[in-house]
Amino acid sequence: MQRMSRQTLRYVLGSIALVSGLGLLANGLPAAASMSTVPTITWSNHVQTSPSGIDWASVAYGNGHFVAVGSTSTAGVVATSSDGQNWTTTSQGTVRWAVVTYGNGRFVAIGAGISSGTSEAMTLADGSNTWVTGQLSSTSTGWSSLIWAGSQFVAADYSADIYTSPDGTTWTFAATIPGANLGSLLAQGSTIYGFGSIAASPAEWTSTNGGSVWSPPATAPNYGYGAAAGNGTAVIVANPPSGSDTTSPVVATSSDGTTWTPQTGGEGIDWNQVSYGDGLFVAEADHYGAYSSPVVMVSTDGVSWTLEPGANDLTNGRWSAIAPGIIVTVGDAGQIETGTYSGQDTPTTAPTTTTLQPTVTTAGSLASTGLNFGAAFWVGLAAIAMGSATLLISRRPRRRC
């Protein structure tokens, strides 16, 4: 997949499609309680000034906490919050953390060493204050997505190399999708969906055996840089075909994960990712494209979208996480944008407190595939540009296939 860069390459991390336990069924996605209209959202901007120079890459919600990951030029950074307003920020290794997700009673993040070119994972179990890290691979890897797929974590890089782990520490190489540029993954029930491109055309792949075997590519409505599902609907988002295009659809929805309908909303804006929680879809974007703002849009059904002008302070929105009554969106320049609103009386889709898991004390390694991890391709869940011998750092370039 080829992309036209708007800025000098600089390492940017995006994130994952955080979707757990919603279950895509053969007869469609199961419906869940949702809001009938987008609530009034009050936005507040928080800029993390210490350490300086943070680029936030990803954020996830689970067990009553938000966790954001990112990096400075010299260190990995993690921030935690229970309310989206007050954050505790710490340095965590010399890793550019790219993606974070929550599942199986723990947060799991993956990134690449700032100078080593090796990849690492770290886990934070419920009830623990200690992250456990370990080397994943000796090969430079551009991580594009990481999800909890109901029974295991599944990670992908831009060259469509798939890895799986039951606990976030012991990783196994599962497969490579030939010729694919892959980024966003979506796990629903026993099926994993992958979105990206092949031969410069949007494509979708499916796996029903945990990521070891993938279907031939199917036609997709767009490159699916971000993917999420909830309330009986799957949503994928992308860029407009060109910077001056303000009419082409950049959102598509599906009730079964394979048949897609283009929708109206957010045309002319470079959408990076979409998340679902508390009855809401939330998408975020770069300040690129035909419009410089806003960078967040919200929907209750994936069909009708509301642009959020209050979120304009976010320079480049990378990823959102949603809890009952709270939306947290992270971006570059240390920015965390928090939206508060009146949530559902009985939330059914936001992650809930889970049984505490034993603290992980050992970290496993991810087998090297010996592949050449090249290409700067941002798809939905992450934004990393890496070369085979050196780590090439970039501000997320405009994605083009």
Side-chain angles (χ1 to χ4, degrees), residues 86-361:
N86 301 288
W87 294 84
T88 299
T89 306
T90 59
S91 295
Q92 188 67 41
T94 55
V95 178
R96 288 190 171 90
W97 298 110
V99 289
V100 63
T101 193
Y102 180 85
N104 196 28
R106 67 198 64 199
F107 289 94
V108 176
I110 292 181
I114 290 174
S115 59
S116 65
T118 59
S119 294
E120 295 186 17
M122 63 178 179
T123 62
L124 179 68
D126 287 349
S128 173
N129 293 319
T130 303
W131 288 91
V132 177
T133 64
Q135 188 179 96
L136 284 175
S137 172
S138 60
T139 305
S140 296
T141 304
W143 295 104
S144 60
S145 47
L146 169 66
I147 59 173
W148 170 249
S151 62
Q152 62 181 352
F153 294 95
V154 181
D157 67 17
Y158 299 104
S159 298
D161 300 309
I162 311 297
Y163 303 85
T164 61
S165 172
D167 56 11
T169 59
T170 303
W171 291 86
T172 302
F173 171 73
T176 297
I177 304 176
N181 287 282
L182 186 68
S184 62
L185 297 175
L186 181 62
Q188 298 292 285
S190 61
T191 302
I192 301 171
Y193 298 82
F195 303 96
S197 71
I198 188 167
S201 297
E204 175 185 4
W205 296 262
T206 59
S207 175
T208 57
N209 71 339
S212 297
V213 178
W214 292 81
S215 69
T219 300
N222 61 45
Y223 299 118
Y225 303 136
N231 194 32
T233 300
V235 172
I236 54 177
V237 298
N239 293 158
S242 70
S244 60
D245 188 334
T246 61
T247 60
S248 294
V250 290
V251 177
T253 60
S254 175
S255 61
D256 60 9
T258 56
T259 302
W260 295 89
T261 301
Q263 302 294 349
T264 300
E267 292 85 358
I269 302 175
D270 287 7
W271 297 104
N272 289 330
Q273 189 50 265
V274 62
S275 307
Y276 182 81
D278 197 30
L280 296 174
F281 290 97
V282 178
E284 52 286 319
D286 289 345
H287 271 184
Y288 298 147
Y291 304 106
S292 61
S293 63
V295 294
V296 176
M297 65 177 179
V298 181
S299 175
T300 60
D301 57 10
V303 176
S304 300
W305 293 85
T306 299
L307 296 174
E308 288 292 320
N312 289 352
D313 289 336
L314 199 65
T315 303
N316 292 303
R318 301 306 182 194
W319 182 259
S320 293
I322 304 120
I326 305 172
I327 300 169
V328 169
T329 300
V330 299
D332 294 345
Q335 292 174 314
I336 299 176
E337 193 85 16
T338 303
T340 56
Y341 61 94
S342 297
Q344 300 183 81
D345 292 335
T346 307
T348 59
T349 56
T352 56
T353 301
T354 59
T355 304
L356 294 179
Q357 301 293 319
T359 300
V360 179
T361 57

